[in-house]
Amino acid sequence: MAASRDYDHNNTNGYSSSSSNEDENAGYPFDFLETDFQCIICTMVIRGFTELPCGHAGCKFCIEKWEKQKVACCECQESYDKTKKQESRYNDRKIKHERQARCKQHEQGCTWQGSIADYKDQHRKRCGFRNVRCRLCNQKVDHQEKEGHKLTCTHRLVNCTTCGAQYSFINKKKHEDEECKLPCDYYQYGCHEKVCKPNMERHLANSARRHIELVKAHYEKLISGKDKKITELKTTVNLQSEHITELTTQLERTKLPMATSSSSPTVKPAVKPKSFLRTFFERKNDKQQQQQQQQATNSFQPASSPTVEQTVEPKTLPRPPIRIYEQEEDKQQQQPTKPIRPASAKWDGQKIHELVFQGETLTFVDVWKILKEKKFKKFGEIFQQNPNIVNSLRDGYDGKTLLMLAVYEDRFDVFVHLMEYPQDFSLVNNNGWNVLHFVGRYGTARYLEMFDQQTIKMLINGRNIYNETPLHYAAHYNKHDVIRWLLAKGANHELKNKDGQRPDEQRACGGVTKEIFRSFRSS
């Protein structure tokens, strides 16, 4: 074996036992379960079994190649006669059909085991871990990655989006610089030359005068075409006007004289039908009047007194009242449900984002939808089961309460209804906004009028995480009515935010807003 190593080291162009390429003349490059029948030269399983006179055996090809250097056994260094070598087909068949070997891709995960003959006849083409050679880049690729390699192969064929030609991806730059020709930027004006991308600037510079003339001719043609169309439209309008004049003249000539009053047919005025109730009461009154006249005629009168025909004024009967009966359910719907107030409106400190009502899970959005659709009776039933819902139920986005959301959505009707419930006005959202911050940003002065003086005093100078008061937001968004209302209720106009700005010193404040603050300070 020492001689073998010396040979491999000194002859780099010769056969290498560590070669990974499968040579049809060298030994079988398989990992056999049994380690017998190894070649004394390449140390692989013998292919073309050849036995030397000394008893050692090897591959036919390996021994013939070794004999070019030295006619002696590489194992025991015993010289021999070439004619005394013996080839054994029996051992060849035994190695090929009986010895069990692993798949060449067993290191990649293939678990197949079998003879060399079975591998060549069946398994080699079916192995899912076999390597295939790409026809474009001549690179070996795992069979399972073949489809992915088609998309990433450097020699894959692609179609140019500009000229439509097909080229190899590795030659993309060459195609764009030398083969692909782009139409000129002035193609729509008449320059039909196609130039490679690197030469486009030079083409534009050399053909600048020609391009200007093409653009000029294009727009002159366009203007002349429009002028021609305008002339045609004017001609059409004139013809239509003349036709209308002729029709008007003919109409005046053939106009019939107006009919006289004697020849005009008499039109009877429409008789307004009497209503049934009026006719009924008139008949009843006439009947009573006739009875009274008859009684007066039959009554005794003295001779000295002349007979006077008594007239009795008819008594108008009262019109029967019309009663409208309403169902009890409609009355209940018209009457607002008055909530049952708990003893205290103080928040219990628990935030919830959903609740269960009649076996159904309601989120913050579901409850707001009920209020938005003015189903106040249902909201009252939910409140009776969850008395602190107006304070505990919060928006999952920034922690708004239902009252804050009513101001945010500008639903004053919902806001008024929620004010009938026990509210903890000291609550703030995740950014430190109280309900007056929302009024200053989204609401109007009518929201502020719903609060009592004690609540206003508690909230009017409240600050959020940016040290901004409700007056800051009202001034920033130029809500003049809200600004006047807050200043009248005692809002501190000297408080500054994190940027050191008073409410009227913000960049978004308009001229009217600044004038309101200036007048308030001077008063």
Side-chain angles (χ1 to χ4, degrees):
M1 294 298 292
S4 173
R5 288 194 293 271
D6 293 339
Y7 169 78
D8 292 337
H9 176 74
N10 297 328
N11 298 281
T12 56
N13 295 328
Y15 177 80
S16 175
S17 61
S18 61
S19 176
S20 60
N21 296 328
E22 182 178 355
D23 192 343
E24 292 295 334
N25 297 319
Y28 292 111
F30 287 92
D31 184 9
F32 284 84
L33 301 180
E34 299 177 5
T35 58
D36 54 350
F37 295 108
Q38 287 186 350
C39 177
I40 59 176
I41 299 175
C42 67
T43 68
M44 291 190 291
V45 176
I46 298 173
R47 184 201 302 263
F49 191 92
T50 303
E51 186 177 359
L52 300 178
C54 63
H56 294 108
C59 301
K60 179 181 179 181
F61 174 78
C62 295
I63 292 175
E64 289 178 353
K65 194 169 184 178
W66 178 265
E67 288 175 348
K68 293 179 181 180
Q69 302 293 330
K70 185 178 181 181
V71 184
C73 178
C74 66
E75 186 71 19
C76 62
Q77 302 298 322
E78 181 181 346
S79 300
Y80 60 88
D81 187 2
K82 292 183 179 182
T83 59
K84 294 184 179 181
K85 295 184 298 184
Q86 295 182 1
E87 297 181 3
S88 177
R89 294 184 179 180
Y90 171 77
N91 289 332
D92 281 342
R93 287 194 300 270
K94 191 174 182 180
I95 293 171
K96 192 173 181 180
H97 294 279
E98 296 181 7
R99 288 294 182 267
Q100 297 293 312
R102 296 184 181 91
C103 179
K104 292 182 180 180
Q105 281 74 34
H106 71 277
E107 294 182 356
Q108 282 74 26
C110 183
T111 59
W112 179 88
Q113 293 180 1
S115 64
I116 298 175
D118 293 340
Y119 175 82
K120 290 185 175 181
D121 296 340
Q122 300 176 5
H123 181 69
R124 181 169 57 180
K125 295 182 179 180
R126 299 178 183 177
C127 180
F129 297 89
R130 70 183 184 277
N131 293 331
V132 293
R133 190 176 297 277
C134 178
R135 296 180 180 178
L136 299 176
C137 63
N138 202 28
Q139 181 182 354
K140 283 188 176 182
V141 184
D142 191 352
H143 177 71
Q144 295 180 346
E145 299 177 356
K146 182 174 65 174
E147 296 299 328
H149 178 74
K150 290 181 180 179
L151 302 176
T152 59
C153 180
T154 56
H155 290 73
R156 67 184 183 274
L157 298 178
V158 293
N159 293 325
C160 180
T161 57
T162 304
C163 63
Q166 195 176 52
Y167 61 91
S168 179
F169 182 78
I170 198 171
N171 298 326
K172 180 179 180 181
K173 184 172 179 59
K174 179 182 178 182
H175 173 76
E176 292 178 350
D177 295 344
E178 301 177 5
E179 300 173 358
C180 182
K181 293 185 177 181
L182 304 175
C184 177
D185 294 343
Y186 293 87
Y187 180 84
Q188 58 178 340
Y189 300 108
C191 182
H192 300 295
E193 294 187 19
K194 293 186 177 181
V195 189
C196 294
K197 190 174 182 180
N199 301 330
M200 182 61 72
E201 294 183 1
R202 185 173 59 185
H203 167 72
L204 295 176
N206 296 338
S207 306
R209 186 178 184 85
R210 178 168 170 264
H211 290 160
I212 293 173
E213 293 176 354
L214 289 173
V215 173
K216 181 181 177 182
H218 173 78
Y219 282 105
E220 286 178 352
K221 183 178 179 181
L222 190 64
I223 292 171
S224 62
K226 288 187 176 181
D227 291 341
K228 184 178 179 181
K229 191 172 183 179
I230 291 171
T231 305
E232 292 177 356
L233 291 174
K234 286 182 178 180
T235 304
T236 305
V237 170
N238 293 334
L239 292 175
Q240 294 292 340
S241 300
E242 293 176 0
H243 185 62
I244 291 171
T245 304
E246 292 178 0
L247 292 176
T248 305
T249 305
Q250 293 178 5
L251 183 62
E252 290 178 352
R253 290 176 182 176
T254 59
K255 193 173 183 181
L256 296 175
M258 295 295 293
T260 58
S261 59
S262 59
S263 61
S264 60
T266 57
V267 180
K268 295 182 179 180
V271 180
K272 187 176 181 180
K274 296 183 179 181
S275 64
F276 172 77
L277 292 176
R278 182 173 178 83
T279 306
F280 171 77
F281 286 117
E282 286 180 354
R283 287 201 305 268
K284 195 168 185 179
N285 291 338
D286 293 343
K287 189 175 181 180
Q288 289 182 357
Q289 186 177 1
Q290 290 177 4
Q291 290 178 358
Q292 291 177 1
Q293 289 178 359
Q294 188 175 0
Q295 290 178 3
T297 304
N298 297 333
S299 62
F300 175 76
Q301 293 183 358
S304 59
S305 61
T307 303
V308 180
E309 187 176 0
Q310 297 181 359
T311 60
V312 180
E313 295 181 358
K315 295 182 180 180
T316 58
L317 296 177
R319 188 172 181 177
I322 301 174
R323 296 184 179 181
I324 301 174
Y325 296 95
E326 297 178 351
Q327 298 181 359
E328 294 296 331
E329 296 180 358
D330 297 339
K331 290 182 179 180
Q332 292 178 2
Q333 291 180 1
Q334 292 178 1
Q335 296 178 358
T337 305
K338 294 184 179 180
I340 302 175
R341 296 176 178 268
S344 175
K346 192 68 177 176
W347 179 43
D348 58 1
Q350 296 181 357
K351 291 183 180 181
I352 59 175
H353 300 289
E354 60 183 20
L355 53 92
V356 179
F357 175 69
Q358 295 180 354
E360 181 182 1
T361 302
L362 300 178
T363 62
F364 181 88
V365 177
D366 297 332
V367 176
W368 171 248
K369 187 176 180 181
I370 292 172
L371 289 169
K372 197 174 181 180
E373 295 175 355
K374 296 184 179 181
K375 297 179 181 179
F376 297 145
K377 182 179 178 181
K378 184 176 181 180
F379 181 78
E381 296 174 356
I382 298 173
F383 174 79
Q384 291 179 7
Q385 292 187 8
N386 303 271
N388 210 20
I389 183 177
V390 292
N391 298 320
S392 298
L393 190 61
R394 300 296 184 91
D395 180 15
Y397 176 67
D398 59 354
K400 289 191 290 289
T401 62
L402 293 170
L403 191 68
M404 296 174 184
L405 186 58
V407 181
Y408 177 81
E409 295 282 348
D410 195 16
R411 289 299 302 268
F412 186 70
D413 52 346
V414 178
F415 180 84
V416 172
H417 182 75
L418 288 173
M419 288 293 287
E420 298 179 0
Y421 291 84
Q423 299 281 348
D424 188 352
F425 296 108
S426 63
L427 299 180
V428 295
N429 69 347
N430 299 340
N431 295 325
W433 288 31
N434 60 32
V435 66
L436 286 194
H437 284 93
F438 282 90
V439 175
R441 169 64 180 88
Y442 303 102
T444 56
R446 62 176 181 173
Y447 288 93
L448 298 170
E449 295 172 356
M450 299 297 297
F451 297 98
D452 55 13
Q453 187 63 30
Q454 183 179 359
T455 304
I456 292 295
K457 186 177 180 181
M458 177 179 62
L459 303 178
I460 197 167
N461 292 321
R463 295 193 173 193
N464 61 4
I465 59 176
Y466 305 107
N467 285 342
E468 293 173 329
T469 63
L471 191 59
H472 276 87
Y473 284 98
H476 181 83
Y477 292 96
N478 298 298
K479 294 183 176 293
H480 305 143
D481 294 339
V482 178
I483 294 171
R484 294 188 182 95
W485 199 95
L486 291 173
L487 290 174
K489 292 296 181 179
N492 190 348
H493 55 84
E494 298 295 334
L495 296 178
K496 298 181 180 181
N497 58 12
K498 275 190 175 182
D499 297 331
Q501 297 174 337
R502 295 184 298 183
D504 58 326
E505 293 176 349
Q506 300 177 93
R507 184 179 299 178
C509 293
V512 178
T513 300
K514 293 182 179 180
E515 183 62 29
I516 293 172
F517 280 92
R518 192 180 300 111
S519 301
F520 183 80
R521 289 191 179 97
S522 61
S523 61

